[in-house]
Each structure stands twice: as C-alpha cells, then as structure tokens.
Amino acid sequence: MAGIIGGGSDGLLKSMDANRYATKKTIAQGMLDIALLTANASQLKYILQVGEKHEFYTLMLTLEIVKEFAGVNSIIFLVFFFEFVIKSRKLGKAECVLLGKH
C-alpha cells in the first residue's frame, strides 16, 4: 500500500518497503500459529477431560492430534525459514534484536 505524504497538490506517494512488510508478515504469521497451537491444546485438554462419554470422542481426539502435529510442524518450518533468511541476507539492527541475533 502507498500512503499520501505532504500537503502539496501533487500528492507524493511513498512506496512501502517490501522486505520490511514481508518480515512483519512472517512474524505475524508465527504469532498466529502459536495462538492456534495454544487454542488446539486447550481443545485437546477439554476432550481428554470429558473422556469417552462424549459422542464423538474418537473422531475429535484424532482430529485434535492431527491439528497439533500440523501446528508444531508449521512452527518448526518458520524457525528454519527465519534461520535461512538470517543467513542469506544482512539484517538491520532492529531485526537482529527482534529475532534475538547479535
């Protein structure tokens, strides 16, 4: 997206930095993955507490385990992806602090 800068009639457009946008987007996706993993763990806990008296116990337990496995794989992929990005390009100071690299 572009934002309009200045009060002049020509309306200068400022282009968005693609690298910064991609980094923020990847970090946001990682946070959403962690939130989803936490919600899935909560649902799994509920299913295990209710036990086999629940009508769809086996189906729900199977689906929750598959979701947990997929969520963990997604987080592992993001960690390796960040490591690849860090090694493949030089990061700015803010990115290094954010990602815990010195």
Side-chain angles (χ1 to χ4, degrees), residues 48-61:
L48 293 174
Q49 284 177 344
V50 170
E52 293 186 15
K53 63 185 175 184
H54 194 282
E55 185 179 0
F56 301 109
Y57 175 76
T58 306
L59 175 65
M60 290 178 67
L61 184 63

Side-chain angles (χ1 to χ4, degrees), residues 8-96:
S9 61
D10 56 298
L12 299 173
L13 295 177
K14 177 185 173 192
S15 64
M16 187 172 191
D17 183 15
N19 288 334
R20 184 175 170 97
Y21 171 77
T23 302
K24 284 185 176 185
K25 181 180 172 189
T26 305
I27 291 170
Q29 284 176 338
M31 288 183 198
L32 287 173
D33 284 340
I34 292 171
L36 183 62
L37 186 64
T38 305
N40 288 344
S42 176
Q43 290 175 351
L44 182 60
K45 179 182 172 186
Y46 166 75
I47 292 169
L48 293 174
Q49 284 177 344
V50 170
E52 293 186 15
K53 63 185 175 184
H54 194 282
E55 185 179 0
F56 301 109
Y57 175 76
T58 306
L59 175 65
M60 290 178 67
L61 184 63
T62 304
L63 291 175
E64 286 299 324
I65 290 171
V66 168
K67 285 192 324 185
E68 289 290 329
F69 182 72
V72 169
N73 284 341
S74 173
I75 291 172
I76 290 171
F77 171 76
L78 283 174
V79 167
F80 284 117
F81 178 74
F82 264 128
E83 288 298 320
F84 175 75
V85 169
I86 289 169
K87 290 178 182 175
S88 66
R89 68 181 177 102
K90 195 172 189 177
L91 297 177
K93 185 175 182 179
E95 291 171 314
C96 289

